[in-house]
């Protein structure tokens, strides 16, 4: 396929930060950064379960502070 890895996001702190994930089908997940489990080096987290029977990809990943507003268009 043509899937590509999205660029990593560096957070200054996990407190008061959120991660937003958007799929090509419009699925949206917003999760507090402090709620994402920390795993051993080299292991990844599955943050969003996408249907296997469709060609859906993750299109955007954003990080924002609690004081910021996330506008989705």
């Amino acid at each position: 396929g043509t899937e590509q890895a999205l660029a990593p996001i560096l957070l200054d702190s996990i407190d008061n930060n959120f991660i937003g994930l958007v799929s090509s089908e419009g699925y949206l997940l917003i999760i507090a950064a402090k709620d994402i489990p920390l795993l051993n080096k080299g292991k990844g987290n599955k943050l969003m379960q996408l249907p296997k029977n469709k060609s859906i990809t993750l299109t955007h990943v954003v990080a924002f502070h609690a004081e910021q507003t996330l506008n989705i268009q």
Side-chain angles (χ1 to χ4, degrees):
T2 60
E3 296 85 10
Q4 295 181 358
L6 297 173
I9 297 173
L10 180 62
L11 299 176
D12 55 358
S13 165
I14 62 169
D15 296 324
N16 297 320
N17 279 299
F18 292 86
I19 305 296
L21 305 151
V22 181
S23 77
S24 58
E25 289 284 317
Y27 290 96
L28 170 67
L29 171 69
I30 296 177
I31 186 169
K34 64 182 178 183
D35 292 339
I36 299 173
L38 296 176
L39 302 177
N40 293 332
K41 185 177 181 179
K43 300 200 177 194
N45 280 318
K46 180 189 276 189
L47 299 177
M48 181 183 277
Q49 179 73 37
L50 299 174
K52 293 182 181 183
N53 59 347
K54 293 185 176 183
S55 179
I56 299 175
T57 58
L58 197 59
T59 59
H60 294 85
V61 177
V62 296
F64 57 98
H65 293 279
E67 306 83 35
Q68 293 177 302
T69 301
L70 178 63
N71 291 315
I72 302 169
Q73 298 179 359

